[in-house]
Amino acid sequence: MKIHEYQAKELFRREGIPVPEGRVAETPAEARQIAEDLGGGPVVVKSQVLVGGRGKAGGVKLADGPDEARETAEAILGMKIKGLTVTRVLVTPAKDIAREFYLGIVQDRSRQRPVLMTSAAGGVDIEEVARTAPDQIVTTPIDPVLGLRPFQARQAAFHVAEGRTAAQMARIMVQLWNAYRRVDANLAEINPLIETPGGEVWAIDAKINFDDNGLARQPEIAGWRDPAESPPEENEARAAGLSFVKLAGNVGCLVNGAGLAMATMDLIQHFGGRPANFLDIGGSSSPDKVVTALDIITRDANVKAILFNIFGGITRCDDVARGIIEARRRADIAVPIVVRLVGTNEEEARDLLAETDLVPAATMDEAVQTAIRLAEGGAA
Ligand code: GDP
Ligand code: MN
């Protein structure tokens, strides 16, 4: 899950990271008022959308005082950035920038631990730096048990800066690590961390992404979810307790268990097809869940066939078959449905399906190949 810059800044503040003050406005008049409350000096008006590169897209603008802040907010509110409409702007005091640094902590799967990345090439697209000038990024692996040690932070900071600036930066790195750990993040980033001509250090941008599996113990943050982050179908699926990711193919998938769902998608690819989605209906055979799942999948006009791949264990196959038949009755579905059910009570399930227009398949290979053939307009 992602959160907005102003929310990430709030979490950073709690750790003691120096973040300029500021408030969020939904109207130009509010933006003007905030600029006035901040002392009437120069401010930055920043679109709050869940994508990077807002600056380049024209979604971050300097304004010289409250009146200009109102005009700037008027221009930015309603703007579309990478498909997302701006409904809120952060109004924050403008800082003079002498230097821009990059600080980020991400989960590094190959090292099996978080890493701190530090660079003097801040303010720009860090992926671009990583590609064109990887030597400009200092990488510091973090022991997940010991955490980021202060000496490691100093080493990294003095690699890109010096004196008081480096010392402040080292303290911020440890605070960034504390934030990362406390909120179950898988990315926490300050780009840029700036040094002012007077030698002050400020985090003027903030980004945190979360591990969704940690959200159960982060109720405050879970409540910050902005539905604009995902396609509407994914939000609807989440609300129904389904784990769903939309893809570009033509074979809709309904599978129980995330591992089997992944394997099903792999097999579709293997036989030359393309899955239209990832969908784990979980352990339950409830017709309601199946109806919701079918409804979401068939709304995608690309879907030309649907494949059920169910392994019955504690969930009994005949229960699932009843669920599918019931769902089939309630939902008006024009595309063919292939069903593979194995495990507990599979014979009963097969008998139930024999009386329907659902296409049974005995093995996973057969089910996948049949679904691909049907999706391409072939016969069962
Ligand atoms: P992003 O483009 O979405 O990463 O948004 P940022 O918050 O990083 O802002 C983009 C750029 O705007 C920064 O790299 C700065 O160059 C500029 N900027 C943002 N805040 C300030 C500020 O307070 N003062 C000045 N001078 N420039 C700023
Ligand atoms: Mn930035």
Side-chain angles (χ1 to χ4, degrees):
M1 184 185 114
K2 297 176 182 173
I3 57 172
H4 290 285
E5 173 194 1
Y6 76 95
Q7 296 165 324
K9 281 182 165 171
E10 171 57 28
L11 295 176
F12 283 173
R13 259 186 218 110
R14 293 180 193 174
E15 303 296 338
I17 295 174
V19 174
E21 54 189 328
R23 287 192 343 250
V24 168
E26 293 184 356
T27 65
E30 275 169 33
R32 191 194 177 288
Q33 186 62 48
I34 296 167
E36 203 167 289
D37 295 346
L38 290 171
V43 292
V44 196
V45 180
K46 312 184 73 176
S47 53
Q48 299 296 289
V49 282
L50 297 172
V51 289
R54 296 164 303 161
K56 261 192 220 151
V60 176
K61 289 228 157 69
L62 288 163
D64 199 7
D67 288 334
E68 240 184 81
R70 186 180 48 71
E71 288 164 28
T72 308
E74 185 136 37
I76 294 179
L77 287 164
M79 192 177 196
K80 277 215 159 193
I81 300 181
K82 297 182 186 168
L84 295 172
T85 306
V86 181
T87 59
R88 281 173 296 180
V89 291
L90 172 65
V91 181
T92 179
K95 299 288 179 192
D96 286 333
I97 300 177
R99 284 200 285 177
E100 295 182 297
F101 300 96
Y102 173 92
L103 290 189
I105 297 177
V106 292
Q107 198 62 26
D108 183 333
R109 283 167 182 262
S110 57
R111 287 191 175 86
Q112 301 185 316
R113 59 193 53 212
V115 296
L116 168 71
M117 294 192 297
T118 311
S119 178
V124 291
D125 187 358
I126 195 68
E127 283 83 7
E128 182 66 22
V129 178
R131 210 167 27 245
T132 57
D135 52 307
Q136 288 196 38
I137 301 175
V138 181
T139 303
T140 311
I142 301 173
D143 185 296
V145 177
L146 298 175
L148 179 67
R149 308 277 76 205
F151 82 86
Q152 292 183 293
R154 282 194 298 274
Q155 224 162 39
F158 279 92
H159 210 93
V160 298
E162 58 300 303
R164 236 175 63 81
T165 299
Q168 290 182 73
M169 196 186 283
R171 196 168 56 236
I172 293 168
M173 286 167 171
V174 173
Q175 291 166 329
L176 185 65
W177 162 253
N178 290 340
Y180 179 92
R181 236 206 52 178
R182 207 183 308 280
V183 302
D184 298 315
N186 52 26
L187 177 142
E189 187 181 82
I190 305 173
N191 187 26
L193 180 79
I194 61 146
E195 181 190 5
T196 67
E200 292 170 27
V201 175
W202 292 98
I204 65 166
D205 192 10
K207 180 174 174 181
I208 307 180
N209 292 349
F210 299 88
D211 181 341
D212 282 24
N213 297 308
L215 288 173
R217 56 183 192 184
Q218 305 285 350
E220 182 191 16
I221 293 162
W224 291 352
R225 187 188 285 281
D226 180 346
E229 179 183 344
S230 349
E233 303 92 309
E234 292 189 13
N235 291 326
E236 201 182 316
R238 189 181 305 111
L242 304 163
S243 159
F244 173 82
V245 180
K246 190 166 157 45
L247 300 166
N250 58 7
V251 180
C253 307
L254 277 104
V255 187
N256 68 333
L260 188 59
M262 297 294 280
T264 305
M265 288 166 37
D266 281 353
L267 207 59
I268 292 173
Q269 297 274 1
H270 174 75
F271 285 120
R274 284 164 307 127
N277 65 280
F278 167 95
L279 187 128
D280 172 12
I281 59 167
S284 139
S285 55
S286 122
D288 286 341
K289 265 194 181 177
V290 179
V291 171
T292 308
L294 280 173
D295 183 42
I296 291 171
I297 288 177
T298 52
R299 224 178 292 155
D300 178 351
N302 291 332
V303 172
K304 303 294 183 219
I306 294 173
L307 168 61
F308 273 85
N309 190 12
I310 306 290
F311 182 80
I314 295 169
T315 312
R316 288 163 36 204
C317 290
D318 54 331
D319 275 352
V320 179
R322 276 187 209 97
I324 299 172
I325 292 165
E326 169 66 18
R328 181 81 183 81
R329 199 172 298 136
R330 283 202 250 157
D332 179 27
I333 299 160
V335 296
I337 301 177
V338 179
V339 182
R340 179 234 180 194
L341 282 162
V342 291
T344 314
N345 289 3
E346 62 177 87
E347 293 79 13
E348 288 89 331
R350 219 166 292 137
D351 291 345
L352 285 165
L353 293 177
E355 292 150 30
T356 69
D357 64 346
L358 301 165
V359 183
T363 68
M364 194 152 146
D365 281 13
E366 184 195 331
V368 167
Q369 287 172 297
T370 307
I372 295 172
R373 198 161 54 241
L374 287 168
E376 270 145 25

